[in-house]
Amino acid sequence: MIIDRIMLHDFGVYGGIQKIDLTPPSTDKPIVLFSGLNGAGKTTLMDALQLCLLGSNAKCAGRNGGSYKDFLARSVHKNSKWGQASVEVIFRCVSDGVETRYRVTRTWKNAGTNIKEKLEVTRNKSLDKSLTENWPQYINGIMPANIAHLFFFDGEKIETYASPDGARELVSTGIYNLFGIDVIERLQKDLRILERRKINTIIPTVDKTAIRQKEKELNVCRGKIEQMVEKRAVLQTRELDVAKRSLTWVLEEYQARGGELRERREEIERRISKVQTSQQACNARMIEFASGELPLILVQELLLKVARYAEHEQEIVNAKALVKYLHNRDTKIIQLIQKLSETTDVADAVEKFCQADLEKQRQLASDNVQIKLSEADVARLNIFLDSGIPNLKKNVAYEFKKQKLLSEEMEAALLEQAGIPSEDSIEAILNKRQQLSANIALLENEIANIDSELEKLRQESSRLEAEINALWEKNAELDLSRKDIMRFTRHSKTARKILAEFGSEVLNSQINRVEQLALDSFQSLLHKDKLISELSINPESFNIVLRDMEQTPILPEQLSAGERQLLAVSLLWGMAKASGKLLPVAIDTPMGRLDSNHRVNLVDRYFPHASHQSLLFTTDEEIFGDYLHRLSPWVGRSYHLNYDNTKGSTTVSEGYFD
């Protein structure tokens, strides 16, 4: 399918007639780029495309849960001369190798309190009344309304889909609609209704009354559930999510102003005090060293000389003591040798040796003793020189190093202390943070209360359904003579069971395809090419499990906010591929709230390949600068939506933002 043109006449903010050509000029330029400020009509243009083709089945953003006729009434331009509006779409489809051209024109007019709507469909330039009358069924074969959200979506909603609950809802809805499982469930419900109608012909009045009463209670219960689900959705998306985003911005501003340092004030001050204490202790030890043996390091060489000289003096003292003793000993030795020997040669030799040795000791003993250190003192001095001084140097070096580290730590702590903002400078942002945090707590508490009440209501609903079913089952077996009814209900139950099994088989057989296509899309979008190796979807809960290259599970919560948004885009992209429908893709606010890295991935890897025709509706803060430069080779057409405040209407001109 290729959309060639859309024409708006007094639709929404578009006054008068606006014609926009959408045909891509070539297959390698599939993108049609629309630019406009907020309120210029980007979302309105997307709504116009869906409204024209799908009518009341279109999920238009402007409808906002209201009735179809109210939406049509609101969509007429306020300055429309005749109180009417129209949307026309021209598109082409190829079937069995034959291209067919369609023109769909939807016109409506305010007629008092009523809306008159008219639809005309031409096929190959000829009005086709049969096609016009059966258009909803026909267009559903080309663009099924229940999967249109896979091709026409708001980038801002990606943030909602990025949460685990949002992703689960997106996948479950998409898969059920893609593979017709919703149709199977409707068939099961229709069979149950037929069963009850049959049984109703034989059911006693008293049980009919009980069933009607319980069905009434069940409808009331379901109504409450719907109201509470809607209330919860409003609280979540319009209040809680908005408040959380605001709090994120406030926290970022708070951190930018030094909020983290403020919260660590006591820790920083304790750190400074601790460092000061350590510095004082270190200084005290250095003073102790300086007042003790440390100064002796300055005269280490002199002490070595003193030690050597003291040892020499010990030799002198010993020599003085030995001289007299050796003289007497030598005399006795010589006398003894002279008595024993017949020759004087030995005696002369010994005498000469003794005289020489004695002279040596006499000369040594003649030296003066100046230092007069005892042997114990000399020993202590040598010990101090051999081990005391090295240990002292080591200890002093350690203290010096510790002092340096403490100084660096003190400098860093003082720098952090200097960065602590004053209370006055962040008072406003603190108040804002407090208000938002309190509001978020209240909203979360309110949502928790709603969830609790919803759980009770759902349990009550299940109980009522079970009681109603029990009454139907009971009465189905009352009158055995009504064998045809029994036979019908038995066959119907069998059919419902077969349908349930068939739906399960379809789901299990097709979900693997969605998993692989979504994984391929996610891997192509991630800038971390080796982060994810597997993506699986639980066919019962529709929870998504990711695995890394080592097959370790990665919960979606472990991904960054940007990666979770890319995962949501990948799920949409993967399911769109799985649908087998060659449809255009239209994205409002395509960048959402992605960071710069992930924006580049969308620009480079998604937008050019999302479809054979992609309509992007952007603000001036999304695709610009480098993003526009990267996307330009793929852009076939570009338009700017100009809103005129004086006229209160938007006109369309060619070109991007000026």
Side-chain angles (χ1 to χ4, degrees), residues 628-651:
L628 182 59
H629 176 72
R630 288 171 175 267
L631 196 63
S632 292
W634 306 93
V635 176
R637 295 179 183 273
S638 60
Y639 295 97
H640 183 57
L641 309 181
N642 304 282
Y643 180 75
D644 190 330
N645 281 312
T646 58
K647 296 180 180 179
S649 64
T650 293
T651 56

PDB file of all heavy atoms in Angstrom, residues 628-651:
ATOM      1  N   LEU A 628      19.229  15.770  11.019  1.00  0.00           N
ATOM      2  CA  LEU A 628      18.632  16.083   9.717  1.00  0.00           C
ATOM      3  C   LEU A 628      19.619  15.752   8.592  1.00  0.00           C
ATOM      4  O   LEU A 628      19.222  15.225   7.549  1.00  0.00           O
ATOM      5  CB  LEU A 628      18.231  17.557   9.670  1.00  0.00           C
ATOM      6  CG  LEU A 628      17.552  18.027   8.388  1.00  0.00           C
ATOM      7  CD1 LEU A 628      16.278  17.241   8.134  1.00  0.00           C
ATOM      8  CD2 LEU A 628      17.242  19.524   8.469  1.00  0.00           C
ATOM      9  N   HIS A 629      20.894  16.044   8.844  1.00  0.00           N
ATOM     10  CA  HIS A 629      21.924  15.741   7.847  1.00  0.00           C
ATOM     11  C   HIS A 629      21.993  14.228   7.585  1.00  0.00           C
ATOM     12  O   HIS A 629      22.116  13.784   6.435  1.00  0.00           O
ATOM     13  CB  HIS A 629      23.279  16.262   8.326  1.00  0.00           C
ATOM     14  CG  HIS A 629      24.423  15.921   7.412  1.00  0.00           C
ATOM     15  ND1 HIS A 629      24.605  16.513   6.180  1.00  0.00           N
ATOM     16  CD2 HIS A 629      25.433  15.011   7.558  1.00  0.00           C
ATOM     17  CE1 HIS A 629      25.676  15.998   5.609  1.00  0.00           C
ATOM     18  NE2 HIS A 629      26.198  15.087   6.421  1.00  0.00           N
ATOM     19  N   ARG A 630      21.922  13.428   8.648  1.00  0.00           N
ATOM     20  CA  ARG A 630      21.983  11.975   8.500  1.00  0.00           C
ATOM     21  C   ARG A 630      20.745  11.435   7.778  1.00  0.00           C
ATOM     22  O   ARG A 630      20.817  10.463   7.017  1.00  0.00           O
ATOM     23  CB  ARG A 630      22.073  11.312   9.884  1.00  0.00           C
ATOM     24  CG  ARG A 630      23.413  11.481  10.583  1.00  0.00           C
ATOM     25  CD  ARG A 630      23.320  10.977  12.022  1.00  0.00           C
ATOM     26  NE  ARG A 630      24.599  11.013  12.701  1.00  0.00           N
ATOM     27  CZ  ARG A 630      25.454   9.997  12.762  1.00  0.00           C
ATOM     28  NH1 ARG A 630      25.162   8.861  12.175  1.00  0.00           N
ATOM     29  NH2 ARG A 630      26.591  10.101  13.414  1.00  0.00           N
ATOM     30  N   LEU A 631      19.589  12.054   8.027  1.00  0.00           N
ATOM     31  CA  LEU A 631      18.331  11.552   7.478  1.00  0.00           C
ATOM     32  C   LEU A 631      18.074  12.041   6.058  1.00  0.00           C
ATOM     33  O   LEU A 631      17.337  11.394   5.297  1.00  0.00           O
ATOM     34  CB  LEU A 631      17.175  11.977   8.394  1.00  0.00           C
ATOM     35  CG  LEU A 631      15.835  11.259   8.233  1.00  0.00           C
ATOM     36  CD1 LEU A 631      15.980   9.776   8.562  1.00  0.00           C
ATOM     37  CD2 LEU A 631      14.779  11.892   9.128  1.00  0.00           C
ATOM     38  N   SER A 632      18.682  13.157   5.680  1.00  0.00           N
ATOM     39  CA  SER A 632      18.386  13.811   4.397  1.00  0.00           C
ATOM     40  C   SER A 632      18.480  12.890   3.183  1.00  0.00           C
ATOM     41  O   SER A 632      17.634  12.976   2.280  1.00  0.00           O
ATOM     42  CB  SER A 632      19.315  15.014   4.204  1.00  0.00           C
ATOM     43  OG  SER A 632      19.004  16.024   5.126  1.00  0.00           O
ATOM     44  N   PRO A 633      19.469  11.984   3.080  1.00  0.00           N
ATOM     45  CA  PRO A 633      19.530  11.123   1.888  1.00  0.00           C
ATOM     46  C   PRO A 633      18.300  10.245   1.691  1.00  0.00           C
ATOM     47  O   PRO A 633      18.049   9.772   0.587  1.00  0.00           O
ATOM     48  CB  PRO A 633      20.776  10.259   2.146  1.00  0.00           C
ATOM     49  CG  PRO A 633      21.606  11.056   3.082  1.00  0.00           C
ATOM     50  CD  PRO A 633      20.638  11.778   3.963  1.00  0.00           C
ATOM     51  N   TRP A 634      17.523  10.038   2.761  1.00  0.00           N
ATOM     52  CA  TRP A 634      16.356   9.156   2.692  1.00  0.00           C
ATOM     53  C   TRP A 634      15.050   9.928   2.548  1.00  0.00           C
ATOM     54  O   TRP A 634      13.995   9.305   2.404  1.00  0.00           O
ATOM     55  CB  TRP A 634      16.281   8.284   3.950  1.00  0.00           C
ATOM     56  CG  TRP A 634      17.537   7.523   4.223  1.00  0.00           C
ATOM     57  CD1 TRP A 634      18.569   7.908   5.015  1.00  0.00           C
ATOM     58  CD2 TRP A 634      17.898   6.242   3.708  1.00  0.00           C
ATOM     59  NE1 TRP A 634      19.558   6.970   5.036  1.00  0.00           N
ATOM     60  CE2 TRP A 634      19.170   5.920   4.239  1.00  0.00           C
ATOM     61  CE3 TRP A 634      17.285   5.330   2.853  1.00  0.00           C
ATOM     62  CZ2 TRP A 634      19.824   4.733   3.939  1.00  0.00           C
ATOM     63  CZ3 TRP A 634      17.927   4.141   2.558  1.00  0.00           C
ATOM     64  CH2 TRP A 634      19.186   3.851   3.093  1.00  0.00           C
ATOM     65  N   VAL A 635      15.119  11.259   2.608  1.00  0.00           N
ATOM     66  CA  VAL A 635      13.906  12.079   2.584  1.00  0.00           C
ATOM     67  C   VAL A 635      13.517  12.391   1.142  1.00  0.00           C
ATOM     68  O   VAL A 635      14.286  12.995   0.395  1.00  0.00           O
ATOM     69  CB  VAL A 635      14.103  13.391   3.378  1.00  0.00           C
ATOM     70  CG1 VAL A 635      12.859  14.271   3.264  1.00  0.00           C
ATOM     71  CG2 VAL A 635      14.407  13.077   4.836  1.00  0.00           C
ATOM     72  N   GLY A 636      12.295  11.956   0.753  1.00  0.00           N
ATOM     73  CA  GLY A 636      11.811  12.222  -0.600  1.00  0.00           C
ATOM     74  C   GLY A 636      10.981  13.491  -0.686  1.00  0.00           C
ATOM     75  O   GLY A 636      11.006  14.197  -1.696  1.00  0.00           O
ATOM     76  N   ARG A 637      10.238  13.805   0.386  1.00  0.00           N
ATOM     77  CA  ARG A 637       9.411  15.013   0.431  1.00  0.00           C
ATOM     78  C   ARG A 637       9.468  15.583   1.841  1.00  0.00           C
ATOM     79  O   ARG A 637       9.650  14.845   2.821  1.00  0.00           O
ATOM     80  CB  ARG A 637       7.950  14.704   0.072  1.00  0.00           C
ATOM     81  CG  ARG A 637       7.729  14.217  -1.361  1.00  0.00           C
ATOM     82  CD  ARG A 637       6.241  13.924  -1.600  1.00  0.00           C
ATOM     83  NE  ARG A 637       6.001  13.386  -2.927  1.00  0.00           N
ATOM     84  CZ  ARG A 637       5.798  14.128  -4.006  1.00  0.00           C
ATOM     85  NH1 ARG A 637       5.804  15.464  -3.901  1.00  0.00           N
ATOM     86  NH2 ARG A 637       5.578  13.563  -5.180  1.00  0.00           N
ATOM     87  N   SER A 638       9.288  16.891   1.923  1.00  0.00           N
ATOM     88  CA  SER A 638       9.236  17.524   3.242  1.00  0.00           C
ATOM     89  C   SER A 638       8.235  18.665   3.202  1.00  0.00           C
ATOM     90  O   SER A 638       8.108  19.372   2.195  1.00  0.00           O
ATOM     91  CB  SER A 638      10.621  18.037   3.671  1.00  0.00           C
ATOM     92  OG  SER A 638      11.111  18.987   2.751  1.00  0.00           O
ATOM     93  N   TYR A 639       7.518  18.812   4.332  1.00  0.00           N
ATOM     94  CA  TYR A 639       6.489  19.848   4.434  1.00  0.00           C
ATOM     95  C   TYR A 639       6.598  20.540   5.786  1.00  0.00           C
ATOM     96  O   TYR A 639       7.051  19.942   6.775  1.00  0.00           O
ATOM     97  CB  TYR A 639       5.091  19.240   4.294  1.00  0.00           C
ATOM     98  CG  TYR A 639       4.811  18.645   2.938  1.00  0.00           C
ATOM     99  CD1 TYR A 639       4.961  17.272   2.721  1.00  0.00           C
ATOM    100  CD2 TYR A 639       4.402  19.444   1.878  1.00  0.00           C
ATOM    101  CE1 TYR A 639       4.708  16.706   1.479  1.00  0.00           C
ATOM    102  CE2 TYR A 639       4.142  18.890   0.623  1.00  0.00           C
ATOM    103  CZ  TYR A 639       4.299  17.524   0.430  1.00  0.00           C
ATOM    104  OH  TYR A 639       4.046  16.987  -0.805  1.00  0.00           O
ATOM    105  N   HIS A 640       6.153  21.796   5.786  1.00  0.00           N
ATOM    106  CA  HIS A 640       6.110  22.552   7.036  1.00  0.00           C
ATOM    107  C   HIS A 640       4.674  22.955   7.313  1.00  0.00           C
ATOM    108  O   HIS A 640       3.965  23.441   6.418  1.00  0.00           O
ATOM    109  CB  HIS A 640       6.998  23.795   6.958  1.00  0.00           C
ATOM    110  CG  HIS A 640       7.049  24.560   8.247  1.00  0.00           C
ATOM    111  ND1 HIS A 640       7.455  23.984   9.430  1.00  0.00           N
ATOM    112  CD2 HIS A 640       6.730  25.851   8.544  1.00  0.00           C
ATOM    113  CE1 HIS A 640       7.393  24.890  10.390  1.00  0.00           C
ATOM    114  NE2 HIS A 640       6.951  26.022   9.882  1.00  0.00           N
ATOM    115  N   LEU A 641       4.239  22.722   8.544  1.00  0.00           N
ATOM    116  CA  LEU A 641       2.882  23.069   8.958  1.00  0.00           C
ATOM    117  C   LEU A 641       2.928  24.430   9.646  1.00  0.00           C
ATOM    118  O   LEU A 641       3.531  24.570  10.718  1.00  0.00           O
ATOM    119  CB  LEU A 641       2.325  21.999   9.908  1.00  0.00           C
ATOM    120  CG  LEU A 641       2.440  20.544   9.413  1.00  0.00           C
ATOM    121  CD1 LEU A 641       1.837  19.584  10.431  1.00  0.00           C
ATOM    122  CD2 LEU A 641       1.773  20.375   8.066  1.00  0.00           C
ATOM    123  N   ASN A 642       2.307  25.428   9.010  1.00  0.00           N
ATOM    124  CA  ASN A 642       2.360  26.806   9.514  1.00  0.00           C
ATOM    125  C   ASN A 642       1.029  27.158  10.164  1.00  0.00           C
ATOM    126  O   ASN A 642      -0.012  27.205   9.488  1.00  0.00           O
ATOM    127  CB  ASN A 642       2.625  27.790   8.370  1.00  0.00           C
ATOM    128  CG  ASN A 642       3.884  27.455   7.602  1.00  0.00           C
ATOM    129  OD1 ASN A 642       4.985  27.735   8.049  1.00  0.00           O
ATOM    130  ND2 ASN A 642       3.715  26.825   6.433  1.00  0.00           N
ATOM    131  N   TYR A 643       1.067  27.422  11.460  1.00  0.00           N
ATOM    132  CA  TYR A 643      -0.164  27.815  12.161  1.00  0.00           C
ATOM    133  C   TYR A 643      -0.198  29.330  12.287  1.00  0.00           C
ATOM    134  O   TYR A 643       0.739  29.955  12.781  1.00  0.00           O
ATOM    135  CB  TYR A 643      -0.227  27.171  13.548  1.00  0.00           C
ATOM    136  CG  TYR A 643      -1.481  27.547  14.302  1.00  0.00           C
ATOM    137  CD1 TYR A 643      -2.708  26.983  13.954  1.00  0.00           C
ATOM    138  CD2 TYR A 643      -1.449  28.477  15.339  1.00  0.00           C
ATOM    139  CE1 TYR A 643      -3.870  27.330  14.627  1.00  0.00           C
ATOM    140  CE2 TYR A 643      -2.599  28.827  16.018  1.00  0.00           C
ATOM    141  CZ  TYR A 643      -3.815  28.249  15.659  1.00  0.00           C
ATOM    142  OH  TYR A 643      -4.965  28.601  16.323  1.00  0.00           O
ATOM    143  N   ASP A 644      -1.297  29.914  11.816  1.00  0.00           N
ATOM    144  CA  ASP A 644      -1.492  31.362  11.855  1.00  0.00           C
ATOM    145  C   ASP A 644      -2.409  31.690  13.027  1.00  0.00           C
ATOM    146  O   ASP A 644      -3.603  31.351  13.019  1.00  0.00           O
ATOM    147  CB  ASP A 644      -2.118  31.838  10.545  1.00  0.00           C
ATOM    148  CG  ASP A 644      -2.132  33.366  10.433  1.00  0.00           C
ATOM    149  OD1 ASP A 644      -2.210  34.028  11.478  1.00  0.00           O
ATOM    150  OD2 ASP A 644      -2.087  33.876   9.295  1.00  0.00           O
ATOM    151  N   ASN A 645      -1.859  32.363  14.037  1.00  0.00           N
ATOM    152  CA  ASN A 645      -2.650  32.690  15.227  1.00  0.00           C
ATOM    153  C   ASN A 645      -3.809  33.620  14.917  1.00  0.00           C
ATOM    154  O   ASN A 645      -4.888  33.522  15.513  1.00  0.00           O
ATOM    155  CB  ASN A 645      -1.751  33.338  16.297  1.00  0.00           C
ATOM    156  CG  ASN A 645      -0.932  32.306  17.041  1.00  0.00           C
ATOM    157  OD1 ASN A 645      -1.456  31.298  17.487  1.00  0.00           O
ATOM    158  ND2 ASN A 645       0.361  32.550  17.158  1.00  0.00           N
ATOM    159  N   THR A 646      -3.595  34.529  13.995  1.00  0.00           N
ATOM    160  CA  THR A 646      -4.652  35.505  13.688  1.00  0.00           C
ATOM    161  C   THR A 646      -5.838  34.820  13.010  1.00  0.00           C
ATOM    162  O   THR A 646      -7.000  35.161  13.271  1.00  0.00           O
ATOM    163  CB  THR A 646      -4.097  36.621  12.782  1.00  0.00           C
ATOM    164  OG1 THR A 646      -3.575  36.031  11.584  1.00  0.00           O
ATOM    165  CG2 THR A 646      -2.979  37.361  13.494  1.00  0.00           C
ATOM    166  N   LYS A 647      -5.572  33.855  12.128  1.00  0.00           N
ATOM    167  CA  LYS A 647      -6.652  33.156  11.425  1.00  0.00           C
ATOM    168  C   LYS A 647      -7.104  31.896  12.172  1.00  0.00           C
ATOM    169  O   LYS A 647      -8.184  31.362  11.891  1.00  0.00           O
ATOM    170  CB  LYS A 647      -6.193  32.764  10.027  1.00  0.00           C
ATOM    171  CG  LYS A 647      -5.887  33.952   9.126  1.00  0.00           C
ATOM    172  CD  LYS A 647      -5.433  33.474   7.752  1.00  0.00           C
ATOM    173  CE  LYS A 647      -5.125  34.653   6.838  1.00  0.00           C
ATOM    174  NZ  LYS A 647      -4.658  34.204   5.501  1.00  0.00           N
ATOM    175  N   GLY A 648      -6.258  31.443  13.097  1.00  0.00           N
ATOM    176  CA  GLY A 648      -6.603  30.233  13.837  1.00  0.00           C
ATOM    177  C   GLY A 648      -6.626  28.991  12.979  1.00  0.00           C
ATOM    178  O   GLY A 648      -7.446  28.092  13.190  1.00  0.00           O
ATOM    179  N   SER A 649      -5.743  28.934  11.976  1.00  0.00           N
ATOM    180  CA  SER A 649      -5.733  27.776  11.090  1.00  0.00           C
ATOM    181  C   SER A 649      -4.313  27.484  10.621  1.00  0.00           C
ATOM    182  O   SER A 649      -3.430  28.347  10.678  1.00  0.00           O
ATOM    183  CB  SER A 649      -6.645  28.006   9.882  1.00  0.00           C
ATOM    184  OG  SER A 649      -6.156  29.072   9.088  1.00  0.00           O
ATOM    185  N   THR A 650      -4.140  26.257  10.127  1.00  0.00           N
ATOM    186  CA  THR A 650      -2.833  25.783   9.652  1.00  0.00           C
ATOM    187  C   THR A 650      -2.859  25.610   8.144  1.00  0.00           C
ATOM    188  O   THR A 650      -3.837  25.097   7.583  1.00  0.00           O
ATOM    189  CB  THR A 650      -2.473  24.447  10.318  1.00  0.00           C
ATOM    190  OG1 THR A 650      -2.262  24.666  11.713  1.00  0.00           O
ATOM    191  CG2 THR A 650      -1.202  23.852   9.723  1.00  0.00           C
ATOM    192  N   THR A 651      -1.767  26.036   7.515  1.00  0.00           N
ATOM    193  CA  THR A 651      -1.582  25.773   6.092  1.00  0.00           C
ATOM    194  C   THR A 651      -0.313  24.953   5.915  1.00  0.00           C
ATOM    195  O   THR A 651       0.576  24.964   6.771  1.00  0.00           O
ATOM    196  CB  THR A 651      -1.463  27.082   5.293  1.00  0.00           C
ATOM    197  OG1 THR A 651      -0.388  27.864   5.838  1.00  0.00           O
ATOM    198  CG2 THR A 651      -2.758  27.870   5.343  1.00  0.00           C
TER     199      THR A 651
END
